[in-house]
Amino acid sequence: MNTTQAKRVLETALICASQPLTISDMAQLFGDALGPDTLKQLLAELQLEWSDRGVELVRVASGWRFQSRPELRPYLDRLHPEKPPRYSRATLETLAIIAYRQPVTRGDMEEIRGVTINSMIIKQLEDRGWIEVIGHRETVGRPALFATTRQFLDDLGLSSLDQLPPLEASGVQESILDRLELEGFPDLPADSDGSGVDEDLEVDDPATGTVVDTGSNQEGTHDAGEPSNQF
């Protein structure tokens, strides 16, 4: 099989795949006749060939995929006018702390934010597939340690945490909020003034699109211990 045929196979597989493909996945297309270095070279050539089109070939945490270019997303959004899930600023600030300081406990997050974190915020991020428990800190109560997932990186179009925007003087929250907004996430509703416990949050349920009141789930302070449009 020549280079042109191999690129045609790769291109077709990547376009038709519902999930990012790893180098191992792509090697199976050729019965392991092509090694990782050859596949990476073919992928680099495909990236160049698609550089002036409306979709791009990118590497994310889970593998390689085709996705729409950011500047075209406003047009594509018109095909799906339904209301997307909305996340409060408190939710995304919590996500930012986890992304930059991981692994962290809920107590760590509350210390950084200066307010008690509503348990529904953690649940919402877990349900979205952006964070997960990776262990427990060996201290009193063995609090859970949270970290981000591959899904989080995929949704931001990143291949590793090293590609997160650098921290600025404004702090951990603003850096990731800028990235999330750049990736096409909805406008963020305002939160409380930042003092004391977060006020009751009204956020749209990602599963149903309905508004839910999370105020009844507030808890005391613990001891410290749409994303890219895929082609």
Side-chain angles (χ1 to χ4, degrees):
M1 181 180 295
N2 60 37
T3 299
T4 300
Q5 291 174 318
K7 283 195 292 186
R8 186 179 183 185
V9 171
L10 278 178
E11 183 179 65
T12 303
L14 286 162
I15 289 175
C16 295
S18 59
Q19 300 292 333
L21 296 180
T22 65
I23 294 295
S24 177
D25 293 331
M26 289 181 273
Q28 295 181 39
L29 296 169
F30 307 97
D32 294 322
L34 299 183
D37 291 341
T38 301
L39 289 171
K40 290 176 182 177
Q41 178 60 38
L42 294 176
L43 289 167
E45 293 177 14
L46 278 174
Q47 282 183 310
L48 287 176
E49 292 174 8
W50 284 77
S51 61
D52 60 348
R53 304 187 189 183
V55 295
E56 59 184 345
L57 177 60
V58 299
R59 181 188 175 194
V60 294
S62 298
W64 292 78
R65 73 182 181 197
F66 278 105
Q67 65 183 35
S68 63
R69 294 189 180 277
E71 62 269 22
L72 297 180
R73 288 171 196 158
Y75 300 97
L76 299 179
D77 287 343
R78 296 173 186 171
L79 296 175
H80 304 284
E82 66 271 12
K83 187 178 179 182
R86 297 187 72 199
Y87 299 91
S88 72
R89 194 172 188 85
T91 300
L92 294 183
E93 285 179 353
T94 301
L95 174 62
I97 292 169
I98 297 172
Y100 281 95
R101 301 293 178 84
Q102 59 187 302
V104 292
T105 66
R106 179 169 168 175
D108 297 332
M109 295 178 242
E110 292 175 335
E111 182 176 354
I112 293 170
R113 289 201 68 222
V115 296
T116 297
I117 294 177
N118 192 299
S119 60
M120 283 298 293
I121 289 179
I122 302 297
K123 184 178 186 304
Q124 189 176 31
L125 292 173
E126 288 180 316
D127 290 345
R128 183 63 179 79
W130 281 342
I131 67 170
E132 62 183 350
V133 175
I134 62 169
H136 294 80
R137 180 171 292 168
E138 295 301 327
T139 187
V140 177
R142 299 188 75 247
L145 288 166
F146 293 93
T148 54
T149 64
R150 284 183 178 270
Q151 183 65 49
F152 166 74
L153 293 173
D154 287 352
D155 286 351
L156 265 67
L158 305 176
S159 61
S160 72
L161 290 169
D162 293 338
Q163 294 179 322
L164 285 172
L167 288 176
E168 303 294 344
S170 56
V172 64
Q173 296 95 332
E174 295 304 323
S175 295
I176 195 133
L177 290 179
D178 290 344
R179 177 75 192 192
L180 288 166
E181 290 168 352
L182 176 65
E183 290 297 321
F185 282 78
D187 292 337
L188 309 178
D191 290 327
S192 65
D193 60 7
S195 61
V197 178
D198 283 337
E199 294 179 0
D200 295 358
L201 302 176
E202 286 192 352
V203 296
D204 293 337
D205 187 326
T208 65
T210 58
V211 174
V212 295
D213 181 1
T214 65
S216 61
N217 292 285
Q218 292 186 2
E219 297 179 355
T221 304
H222 284 202
D223 291 335
E226 181 180 32
S228 299
N229 292 301
Q230 190 167 336
F231 182 69

